[in-house]
Amino acid sequence: MPTNDHGTPSDIQPVEAKAVSYSGIGGPEVISIATRTVRPPAAGEVRLRVQAAAVNPTDVAWRDPGRPDGHWPLTPGMDAAGVVEAVGPGVSRLAVGDQVMAAVMPARPEGGAQATYIVVPEVSVVPIPAATTITEAATLPMNGLTALYALENAGLSKGQVLAVSGGAGLLAHYAIAIANRRGITVVADAKPEEHDLVRGYGATVVVTRSDDFAGAVREQFPDGADALLDTALLGERGFGALRDGGVYLPVRGWAKESERGIQVKPVWVSKVLDRTDWLEQLRGWVEDGTIKLRVAAEFPLSEVAAAQQVLSAGGLRGRPVLTL
């Protein structure tokens, strides 16, 4: 039988998969588990047997309130971890049997990560970190890439100040840890009982979470922060934390005016899902302890609605993960 360089049959067949499916925009009633056929990988692609897929706020946002780039029915999920099951022509970095993690875009016609088999560009896939479980690895790719893209947009140098709202959350954790590693001063907010947790992420200063995030930051840094990563979706209420000409980094887009020369640079992770080098960096930072992965709870694929409900209730310090 003809094979490619990795010994995989060249006539790879389609496989049947179970996948989370949204029938349209709406509440949990639009969620179902569907059966679909997953094609063989094309040139530069791999097919994964997904064993874990993280549940993120963006998964809920695809159906509620909905996004204009959705294809219905839509399979959500931007984080997957599992095993390479087949490789397409030209794939050289990965082989069948490798344990890997991947960043996936649900807007594509084939949908996102929450399916038992998916086809992904090789550039969006790297081996999982050493001494890490598949379930833990599923919490890293999308939020890790988001944190790196936010910091690239911020353009901060060693000693400059990054403010992070929602400091105890997962995206905040990754951004704080990476910024601290780069010598950036980080001020973040948290509930009093979570101050030590956020300091453990690498925050230089932790202020108590309140309705006046900007005021709390200014008490510590009277001139204002150089950039604000707004994971708590404060919007204009966060501008006061920034110096004139500072950088505001929203994670849900932006269509409004700014003030005082503040530069608004939305963090669209879809633009960097092909950054293999960043995924490799993230893997290394887990291995050296810079980033600590946290699974908040595990759910079978059939209980995706319950996983989303737990996530939306707030207060998690990690991510729910679907185990497939």
Side-chain angles (χ1 to χ4, degrees):
M1 179 180 295
T3 62
N4 63 21
D5 292 342
H6 295 290
T8 304
S10 57
D11 57 344
I12 301 167
Q13 298 300 309
V15 293
E16 189 175 89
K18 298 290 186 183
V20 177
S21 180
Y22 294 169
S23 60
I25 295 170
E29 73 281 353
V30 306
I31 305 173
S32 65
I33 304 299
T35 299
R36 71 184 190 192
T37 299
V38 179
R39 63 177 175 82
E45 294 179 329
V46 297
R47 189 166 66 193
L48 307 184
R49 177 165 57 85
V50 179
Q51 296 173 315
V55 178
N56 291 288
T58 186
D59 300 335
V60 179
W62 280 106
R63 62 170 177 81
D64 181 13
R67 288 179 41 165
D69 51 346
H71 296 267
W72 309 107
L74 179 141
T75 294
M78 296 192 72
D79 290 304
V83 177
V84 176
E85 180 264 346
V87 299
V91 171
S92 59
R93 197 172 41 81
L94 301 169
V96 171
D98 287 350
Q99 290 188 313
V100 296
M101 58 186 183
V104 188
M105 187 60 190
R108 63 188 192 155
E110 294 175 282
Q114 292 174 9
T116 53
Y117 289 90
I118 59 173
V119 174
V120 191
E122 180 190 20
V123 292
S124 298
V125 185
V126 298
I128 67 171
T132 298
T133 67
I134 286 282
T135 307
E136 291 169 337
T139 66
L140 179 62
M142 186 273 287
N143 284 287
L145 290 174
T146 303
L148 280 167
Y149 191 36
L151 291 171
E152 180 177 86
N153 281 350
L156 301 183
S157 302
K158 185 176 181 179
Q160 288 191 284
V161 178
L162 172 69
V164 180
S165 68
L170 187 78
L171 172 57
H173 169 194
Y174 295 169
I176 291 168
I178 298 167
N180 174 67
R181 185 183 179 94
R182 294 176 174 178
I184 296 167
T185 299
V186 180
V187 53
D189 65 338
K191 298 174 183 178
E193 62 270 25
E194 293 181 318
H195 279 209
D196 287 344
L197 175 70
V198 178
R199 287 192 191 96
Y201 295 167
T204 312
V205 176
V206 181
V207 299
T208 299
R209 182 177 176 181
S210 71
D211 292 333
D212 187 14
F213 174 81
V217 171
R218 287 282 185 163
E219 283 185 10
Q220 300 295 323
F221 300 93
D223 294 333
D226 296 292
L228 165 60
L229 175 56
D230 187 14
T231 75
L233 311 180
L234 299 177
E236 298 96 323
R237 292 181 295 128
F239 282 0
L242 287 165
R243 63 169 174 80
D244 292 356
V247 181
Y248 176 67
L249 304 162
V251 295
R252 291 282 181 90
W254 190 260
K256 304 176 184 179
E257 299 294 325
S258 62
E259 61 187 47
R260 297 186 290 112
I262 290 172
Q263 306 169 67
V264 178
K265 297 184 178 181
V267 184
W268 294 115
V269 70
S270 58
K271 295 183 177 181
V272 293
L273 298 183
D274 60 352
R275 290 295 302 265
T276 313
D277 56 333
W278 283 6
L279 288 168
E280 293 283 10
Q281 275 190 319
L282 291 165
R283 178 164 64 109
W285 287 332
V286 171
E287 291 177 347
D288 72 13
T290 298
I291 291 174
K292 297 175 178 61
L293 303 180
R294 290 182 171 86
V295 175
E298 296 183 21
F299 295 83
L301 189 69
S302 60
E303 294 182 15
V304 59
Q308 291 186 6
Q309 184 177 20
V310 167
L311 178 70
S312 297
L316 295 183
R317 299 302 166 239
R319 284 287 185 265
V321 176
L322 302 177
T323 53
L324 286 67

